[in-house]
Amino acid sequence: MVEERTELQFERRASLRAFNSFGLPAVAAALVRLRSEADVKRVVDHPEFGPAKKLILSGGSNLVLTRDVAAVVLKVEILGRRLLRETPEAFIVEAGAGENWHDFVAWTLQQGWPGLENLGLIPGLVGAAPVQNIGAYGVELKDRFDSLDGVDLVTGRSVTLEAAQCAFGYRDSVFKHLLAGKTLITRVRFRLPRPWAPVLGYLDLQRRVHDTGNAHPDAQTIFDWICAIRRAKLPDPLQIGNAGSFFKNPVVSAEQCRDIIGRDPSVVHYPMPDGSAKLAAGWLIDACGWKGKSIGRAGVYERQALVLVNRGGAIGAEVLTLARAIQESVYGRFGIRLEPEPVIL
Ligand code: EPU
């Protein structure tokens, strides 16, 4: 039998380079590894770490480190995954916040619980998925979310939050605002609806349907398509440091959209239900000529202009300089302020 650890495991002056997908150098004053909910409570009760400022670190795949971190870094490593309930309407599946997201999605499919296939190959861990309401190819986390457990980092109390309390928006949630740095997510539950229905609306998926002649792909096939599509246009962080899309796709009013179409009729835009329009930030950046360009050791990925990459040995300041230069040129040409998507520290 494995005995439960009762001592907190931590390291002082810990390098964070291996723990952020951009591969940026930074040192944390202290790094605490959390393998259970009990560990989180131990941090809260700890004489030194309890009152200290804290930074919750998940997979580090949505993070730009521009300096050393004075806060205590809480590295979430809580594992475990299981089917909680099966009803005629849904499978309710639970995963520890430290589980790898992609492996979790692949596992749900192997078990015969489809629903997360469009979210395959998104880097990061399960616990970060609700924080930014990850989304891809027509599905957002909130569409498959049931509830989550966390620990209040001030009181040490366990909390359970339902969808409405998480205030999910486009790449947004309460964990980026009111509860930022305050609630550490320990477990997430997913509601995978039955009967399963494929989501094939995205152009890239429509193309696959057309090219393969398979109009009724099963969930595993969609998952394989998604992985292939992502591999073709997004760099693997293990080979080229990056944090996925660096900017959010901006939402503009119908009037602004008309103005931009007036300037450039080919602008990629998607009408939203409320009359506004979402513009493809990647297109705007590309149109300004940034694709493949670099400033210092930070660059714009050759196959997707929305992704900034570490060309080798970059520091956070170089990534920020590049990001600001891109923001300025997109603003100059289209009058749109691009908002960064990752957390910048
Ligand atoms: N485009 C260009 N040039 C580029 C990049 C894109 O013209 O260099 C055009 C494409 O041709 C396409 C449009 O812009 O018409 C949209 O591009 P894409 O389909 O690659 O998607 P995206 O809007 O750039 C968003 C998400 C991705 C997600 C994909 C698929 C955001 C910020 N990004 O990217 O999420 O995988 O849609 O759903 O919403 C992430 O958040 O890290 C991420 C990768």
Side-chain angles (χ1 to χ4, degrees):
M1 205 178 98
V2 181
E3 234 176 88
E4 227 216 292
R5 210 157 31 87
T6 53
E7 296 260 308
L8 265 184
Q9 207 188 322
F10 65 91
E11 189 189 326
R12 294 197 192 271
R13 295 219 34 90
S15 167
L16 298 177
R17 194 196 289 263
F19 302 141
N20 73 98
S21 63
F22 241 119
L24 300 170
V27 171
L31 178 108
V32 186
R33 290 170 186 271
L34 305 174
R35 302 242 161 99
S36 65
E37 190 176 299
D39 273 353
V40 187
K41 297 191 177 188
R42 282 184 194 111
V43 166
V44 177
D45 292 337
H46 193 276
E48 181 189 340
F49 302 147
K53 202 169 159 12
K54 299 173 192 70
L55 169 71
I56 302 168
L57 177 68
S58 188
S61 56
N62 203 42
L63 183 64
V64 183
L65 291 166
T66 63
R67 56 189 152 86
D68 288 346
V69 180
V72 175
V73 173
L74 303 180
K75 188 163 180 296
V76 184
E77 298 181 350
I78 301 169
L79 300 180
R81 48 195 197 188
R82 60 183 173 145
L83 176 71
L84 215 60
R85 256 189 342 271
E86 181 180 341
T87 71
E89 287 81 38
F91 296 106
I92 310 292
V93 186
E94 183 182 80
E99 289 284 342
N100 175 281
W101 172 262
H102 173 75
D103 292 347
F104 170 65
V105 172
W107 174 76
T108 57
L109 292 170
Q110 279 157 18
Q111 302 298 312
W113 311 323
L116 296 174
E117 56 282 351
N118 291 46
L119 303 177
L121 220 55
I122 295 182
L125 307 182
V126 166
V131 175
Q132 55 156 345
N133 182 27
I134 58 169
Y137 303 98
V139 176
E140 283 186 323
L141 170 114
K142 73 173 172 58
D143 305 325
R144 303 285 182 266
F145 180 82
D146 178 74
S147 55
L148 60 78
D149 297 335
V151 176
D152 183 313
L153 288 175
V154 177
T155 63
R157 240 177 268 145
S158 301
V159 291
T160 294
L161 300 184
E162 311 290 331
Q165 295 163 290
C166 295
F168 291 123
Y170 167 57
R171 295 295 190 275
D172 202 26
S173 76
V174 71
F175 305 103
K176 280 189 160 183
H177 304 280
L178 194 65
L179 299 183
K182 296 203 175 83
T183 298
L184 186 141
I185 297 168
T186 51
R187 269 185 298 270
V188 185
R189 284 173 292 277
F190 300 85
R191 192 175 190 287
L192 309 178
R194 300 173 76 183
W196 171 75
V199 179
L200 294 168
Y202 257 56
L203 189 62
D204 284 334
L205 289 169
Q206 284 296 310
R207 269 194 207 122
R208 295 266 158 173
V209 167
H210 179 263
D211 294 350
T212 59
N214 182 357
H216 302 286
D218 60 12
Q220 185 64 46
T221 303
I222 297 174
F223 175 78
D224 294 341
W225 287 353
I226 293 284
C227 292
I229 292 166
R230 291 187 72 101
R231 285 201 178 99
K233 66 165 87 169
L234 298 170
D236 176 354
L238 292 176
Q239 282 158 26
I240 304 174
N242 76 91
S245 299
F246 197 90
F247 299 101
K248 293 186 193 180
N249 283 331
V251 176
V252 298
S253 67
E255 197 190 338
Q256 260 179 307
C257 190
R258 271 194 300 275
D259 174 56
I260 292 166
I261 293 171
R263 294 188 211 195
D264 203 324
S266 55
V267 61
V268 177
H269 61 286
Y270 312 97
M272 305 289 279
D274 63 358
S276 62
K278 200 183 253 185
L279 305 180
W283 186 92
L284 298 171
I285 298 166
D286 199 357
C288 291
W290 279 104
K291 203 184 251 178
K293 296 271 165 61
S294 297
I295 292 187
R297 292 163 290 182
V300 179
Y301 192 52
E302 285 69 14
R303 280 180 265 159
Q304 223 297 13
L306 194 50
V307 178
L308 304 195
V309 296
N310 182 347
R311 300 232 187 260
I315 60 168
E318 285 170 297
V319 176
L320 274 199
T321 303
L322 174 62
R324 290 202 184 108
I326 291 171
Q327 281 171 313
E328 272 174 36
S329 61
V330 168
Y331 186 71
R333 169 134 180 222
F334 297 104
I336 287 175
R337 290 188 194 283
L338 291 181
E339 208 186 305
E341 210 260 302
V343 174
I344 297 174
L345 275 184

